[in-house]
Amino acid sequence: MPKHFSVSALRADLYRLLDRVLETGIPLVVERKGESLLVIPARKAGRLARLKPRPGYLKGDPEEIVHLDWSSEWRP
């Protein structure tokens, strides 16, 4: 659950509050002029998240691929 802070409270304890967001991952909500600002940690995307979708690349039923017998192709 995000904690709500005024800008004054944020300014008074900025580094500790930002460190807490980084350590816990729990967002921080700052109220400013009647609006809410959300402070969240920016996470780098993993390698799988950077994969480009390739619709239509797989031809056929994916279930058939799972049960293919490659034993005749495999050489130790």
Side-chain angles (χ1 to χ4, degrees):
M1 181 93 181
K3 299 253 183 170
H4 292 256
F5 292 90
S6 67
V7 173
S8 298
L10 177 67
R11 186 181 315 125
D13 213 2
L14 178 65
Y15 295 109
R16 186 184 67 78
L17 293 172
L18 293 179
D19 285 342
R20 186 169 68 186
V21 170
L22 288 173
E23 291 168 5
T24 66
I26 298 172
L28 173 75
V29 179
V30 181
E31 302 291 333
R32 172 94 168 135
K33 296 182 180 181
E35 297 286 334
S36 295
L37 303 163
L38 189 61
V39 178
I40 60 170
R43 303 281 187 222
K44 291 182 181 177
R47 289 174 58 196
L48 292 178
R50 294 190 305 254
L51 288 176
K52 295 178 184 172
R54 308 256 189 233
Y57 184 74
L58 182 62
K59 305 295 184 200
D61 183 12
E63 285 300 314
E64 290 178 10
I65 294 174
V66 172
H67 302 290
L68 282 176
D69 180 16
W70 291 91
S71 60
S72 64
E73 302 290 324
W74 186 76
R75 306 237 192 287

